[in-house]
Amino acid sequence: MGVTTERQDNTLIAKSEGRIDGANAREFQDALDAAIDSSERAVVLDLEEVSYISSAGLRVILLTAKSLQKQDAKFAVCSLSESIREIFEISGFDQIIAVHDSRDEAVDALKN
């Protein structure tokens, strides 16, 4: 369980895959922390290939969002599967964190 990164229009895209749960949430957090530099101004977390996320994984995403907010950076998630989107909606995370259907849509939203 790692995080890969790339850049698109001055936005850092962090992508994860597989399951994010209590067994690997710390590894997920460490990978995100290592990938996101303190100079970042816009970060998109692409969850297209994430098949499951537990409350531990949601906590990591929330901590990442709060950390980025402190450094005045924009943050969004994108490409959620139907089941992951449902988890975001039930937990209310879609009210706290911007959720976009595609990577391009998320990058465009963070540019403005």
Side-chain angles (χ1 to χ4, degrees):
M1 131 66 46
V3 172
T4 58
T5 60
E6 63 183 84
R7 291 213 168 269
Q8 182 178 333
D9 295 336
N10 294 319
T11 299
L12 177 71
I13 310 293
K15 186 170 186 169
S16 190
E17 61 185 31
R19 295 176 56 90
I20 304 171
D21 55 30
N24 63 6
R26 183 67 186 169
E27 180 184 345
F28 178 55
Q29 182 169 5
D30 290 346
L32 280 177
D33 289 346
I36 299 171
D37 188 276
S38 61
S39 64
E40 297 297 343
R41 292 291 153 241
V43 177
V44 171
L45 180 59
D46 185 337
L47 300 177
E48 182 175 22
E49 295 183 23
V50 172
S51 59
Y52 174 80
I53 190 164
S54 72
S55 60
L58 291 175
R59 181 179 178 277
V60 171
I61 292 172
L62 182 60
L63 291 173
T64 300
K66 286 183 176 185
S67 175
L68 288 166
Q69 185 178 30
K70 286 180 186 174
Q71 68 187 50
D72 201 29
K74 296 177 182 177
F75 178 66
V77 297
C78 71
S79 306
L80 282 63
S81 68
E82 191 174 317
S83 61
I84 302 294
R85 182 177 291 273
E86 189 174 312
I87 291 168
F88 266 68
E89 290 171 357
I90 290 170
S91 65
F93 267 59
D94 63 329
Q95 303 299 311
I96 301 168
I97 298 169
V99 177
H100 298 280
D101 291 335
S102 71
R103 180 186 292 193
D104 289 340
E105 184 181 303
V107 170
D108 287 344
L110 295 188
K111 282 194 293 190
N112 300 325

